[in-house]
Amino acid sequence: MYSLFQFLYRNRAFLTFLFLEVISFWLVLNDRSYLGAKFFNSSNRLAANVLSVSSNVSDYFSLGKVNAQLAEENRQLHEMLLNQPPKGIDPIRIDSVSIDSSNYIYEMLAAKVINNSTRRVNNYLTINKGSDDGIVPGMGVVGPQGIVGKVKYSSKHFSSVISLLHTEFLISTAVKRNQVYGTLRWTSGDALYADLQYVPRHVNLQVGDTIVTSGFNTIFPEGYQAGTISEFTISDDATFYTVKVKLATDFYSLRYVYVVKNLLAEEKDSLEQVTIPDYE
């Protein structure tokens, strides 16, 4: 306490000056409205800048949550589109494709890509959803722009997905413009392109034609985009075109995907297993 009194006594002149300066500053701001307004405007501007920076930092760290919310909204929209009835058909009369969610054929589950290879001969993805979320092997996986792959294995919390960039993964597709069927297959190399095989030479192809899923299997819904034709050639003695397709999905920037569950897949597969041997 004695030391404090000594400090105040030694610095009495400076402390008195500082006190008078504060009083003078307060009187000036209160007596002159312009200076007062200028000061408070400046302080408000400084506070606003600080709050803006704070808000930007907060927004940056919440991007993961925002992306997850957007993925969930996209999942709902994709699910509604997949379950729309064909054009010109009254959805009230077609219970199996009614927009009523209780009659959906397809369900979709949003998942985050936590690992993704693009430079191997056979590529895979890992997603952060598994059997606890209802995912089982064989389910199709699509992205915001197009098809991605098929679930190969699933644990409780994760799933391994065969990427479209896999040389043994074949997809039944069709040219949207004329409904000519072919098989889409990646033959390694460029992650942006794949080959459309078994398109007969009499078919009229055009650069820019959209390639979509055919719906012949239970993995992918009919009409889901796979890519567009970038070029095609055919030799004089060939039966089929050589067609190069630019993939709709950019695997280099893939962050979120949607796992597709066909609610009627088991019934369809069971029927075909019983029926097909009768024709063999």
Side-chain angles (χ1 to χ4, degrees), residues 135-244:
I135 295 179
V136 297
M139 287 184 174
V141 180
V142 299
Q145 287 81 37
I147 55 179
V148 170
K150 179 179 70 171
V151 175
K152 179 68 173 178
Y153 303 108
S154 59
S155 62
K156 281 189 174 183
H157 306 295
F158 303 98
S159 294
S160 177
V161 177
I162 299 176
S163 171
L164 175 57
L165 308 180
H166 192 294
T167 56
E168 297 180 6
F169 186 37
L170 308 179
I171 303 173
S172 176
T173 56
V175 180
K176 185 177 181 179
R177 179 172 55 85
N178 52 24
Q179 289 300 301
V180 173
Y181 300 107
T183 299
L184 187 68
R185 181 182 184 183
W186 188 69
T187 55
S188 77
D190 195 337
L192 299 177
Y193 295 91
D195 295 334
L196 182 63
Q197 301 176 339
Y198 310 120
V199 178
R201 65 178 303 128
H202 69 272
V203 173
N204 176 26
L205 293 180
Q206 297 178 9
V207 172
D209 274 343
T210 300
I211 307 302
V212 296
T213 52
S214 66
F216 280 179
N217 54 44
T218 57
I219 299 175
F220 298 107
E222 180 183 358
Y224 210 90
Q225 185 158 334
T228 54
I229 294 178
S230 61
E231 60 180 82
F232 60 91
T233 58
I234 190 168
S235 58
D236 293 338
D237 58 345
T239 305
F240 303 107
Y241 281 101
T242 299
V243 185
K244 192 171 186 179

Side-chain angles (χ1 to χ4, degrees), residues 45-272:
R45 187 160 53 248
L46 177 61
N49 289 334
V50 172
L51 290 173
S52 177
V53 172
S54 175
S55 176
N56 289 336
V57 172
S58 177
D59 289 345
Y60 176 79
F61 285 106
S62 64
L63 282 177
K65 182 178 180 181
V66 172
N67 286 337
Q69 291 173 342
L70 291 175
E72 174 60 20
E73 291 177 6
N74 285 335
R75 180 200 67 78
Q76 295 175 8
L77 292 174
H78 278 289
E79 195 172 85
M80 290 179 64
L81 289 173
L82 290 178
N83 290 282
Q84 284 191 34
K87 291 182 179 180
I89 298 179
D90 187 351
I92 297 175
R93 299 178 184 175
I94 309 296
D95 293 336
S96 61
V97 290
S98 171
I99 297 303
D100 179 0
S101 60
S102 63
N103 294 315
Y104 272 12
I105 295 176
Y106 298 100
E107 289 181 352
M108 302 186 77
L109 176 68
K112 185 177 181 179
V113 177
I114 58 175
N115 193 19
N116 180 20
S117 63
T118 57
R119 294 180 174 85
R120 300 175 183 172
V121 175
N122 295 316
N123 295 281
Y124 291 86
L125 301 91
T126 304
I127 59 177
N128 68 341
K129 296 293 174 66
S131 57
D132 280 1
D133 304 289
I135 295 179
V136 297
M139 287 184 174
V141 180
V142 299
Q145 287 81 37
I147 55 179
V148 170
K150 179 179 70 171
V151 175
K152 179 68 173 178
Y153 303 108
S154 59
S155 62
K156 281 189 174 183
H157 306 295
F158 303 98
S159 294
S160 177
V161 177
I162 299 176
S163 171
L164 175 57
L165 308 180
H166 192 294
T167 56
E168 297 180 6
F169 186 37
L170 308 179
I171 303 173
S172 176
T173 56
V175 180
K176 185 177 181 179
R177 179 172 55 85
N178 52 24
Q179 289 300 301
V180 173
Y181 300 107
T183 299
L184 187 68
R185 181 182 184 183
W186 188 69
T187 55
S188 77
D190 195 337
L192 299 177
Y193 295 91
D195 295 334
L196 182 63
Q197 301 176 339
Y198 310 120
V199 178
R201 65 178 303 128
H202 69 272
V203 173
N204 176 26
L205 293 180
Q206 297 178 9
V207 172
D209 274 343
T210 300
I211 307 302
V212 296
T213 52
S214 66
F216 280 179
N217 54 44
T218 57
I219 299 175
F220 298 107
E222 180 183 358
Y224 210 90
Q225 185 158 334
T228 54
I229 294 178
S230 61
E231 60 180 82
F232 60 91
T233 58
I234 190 168
S235 58
D236 293 338
D237 58 345
T239 305
F240 303 107
Y241 281 101
T242 299
V243 185
K244 192 171 186 179
V245 175
K246 188 177 191 309
L247 298 176
T249 297
D250 182 359
F251 285 87
Y252 292 119
S253 61
L254 192 63
R255 294 294 178 269
Y256 283 88
V257 295
Y258 308 98
V259 182
V260 182
K261 181 180 181 181
N262 185 338
L263 302 179
L264 302 181
E266 186 176 348
E267 179 183 345
K268 179 177 181 292
D269 290 341
S270 298
L271 178 64
E272 290 180 348

